[in-house]
Amino acid sequence: MINVRELQEVVSLMNESGIQKLHIEHEGTKVVIDKAGIPLEDTAAVTEVKTEEVKAVATEQVSQDSTSVSSAENNKKQILSPMVGTFYAKPEADADPFIQVGQAIEREDVVCVIEAMKLFNEVDAGIEGEVLEILVKDGDVVEFGQPLFTVKSY
């Protein structure tokens, strides 16, 4: 049977990619995830799980902006994880990190990679500024909406 954490990762990936409907079958468990009829601005996803004897419906409601959230000070912002997965600060094990503390970043700069279900997803900064803090370590598992970096915005 597919566990809830895996389903949450799939829903996050669907929200990222814009996929509207997905069918998964694994060891006798059939999963249909269909976002049809749900407003995009609502960013909700409905997951329907069907087995021979089990039928369950779960709804995930996203209440935070996945790009950035203001901190106590107006010019400090955080870059949040857009999904559940493993955080990588470098494109390869022997490469330099994407960004370092004190570095200036642009909106389209890749700041990290998050691996979810064997897919590596580049995370763009989404804001311009100077990196103040890197809040997670290379190889850490991160949650959806978890702060990854603190940035002093320009």
Side-chain angles (χ1 to χ4, degrees):
M1 183 157 188
I2 299 173
N3 70 39
V4 174
R5 186 177 181 108
E6 289 172 335
L7 287 175
Q8 289 173 334
E9 289 178 16
V10 170
V11 169
S12 293
L13 289 171
M14 286 179 67
N15 285 336
E16 284 278 311
S17 68
I19 294 172
Q20 293 297 308
K21 191 170 187 175
L22 181 68
H23 295 264
I24 301 170
E25 190 169 338
H26 180 68
E27 296 179 358
T29 301
K30 292 181 183 180
V31 178
V32 178
I33 303 172
D34 189 352
K35 299 189 323 182
I38 300 172
L40 292 177
E41 59 274 3
D42 194 11
T43 61
V46 177
T47 306
E48 187 173 323
V49 180
K50 295 180 182 177
T51 62
E52 293 176 330
E53 301 174 15
V54 179
K55 183 175 180 179
V57 177
T59 302
E60 176 181 329
Q61 182 68 39
V62 179
S63 62
Q64 290 182 326
D65 176 20
S66 65
T67 305
S68 64
V69 136
S70 292
S71 294
E73 296 178 27
N74 290 338
N75 63 343
K76 285 188 181 179
K77 298 192 183 262
Q78 291 182 328
I79 299 172
L80 306 179
S81 176
M83 65 184 61
V84 173
T86 304
F87 171 89
Y88 293 105
K90 304 182 264 184
E92 296 177 3
D94 58 346
D96 291 331
F98 287 105
I99 62 172
Q100 297 178 356
V101 173
Q103 179 178 339
I105 56 172
E106 301 291 324
R107 289 185 182 280
E108 62 281 344
D109 288 348
V110 174
V111 294
C112 67
V113 172
I114 297 179
E115 177 192 5
M117 299 180 67
K118 307 288 185 214
L119 296 173
F120 292 85
N121 303 280
E122 292 182 340
V123 177
D124 294 337
I127 56 175
E128 295 177 357
E130 178 187 338
V131 179
L132 297 177
E133 278 183 286
I134 299 173
L135 304 170
V136 292
K137 295 178 184 167
D138 197 48
D140 282 355
V141 175
V142 294
E143 298 294 326
F144 174 78
Q146 178 179 343
L148 303 174
F149 305 95
T150 302
V151 177
K152 179 180 174 184
S153 64
Y154 297 140

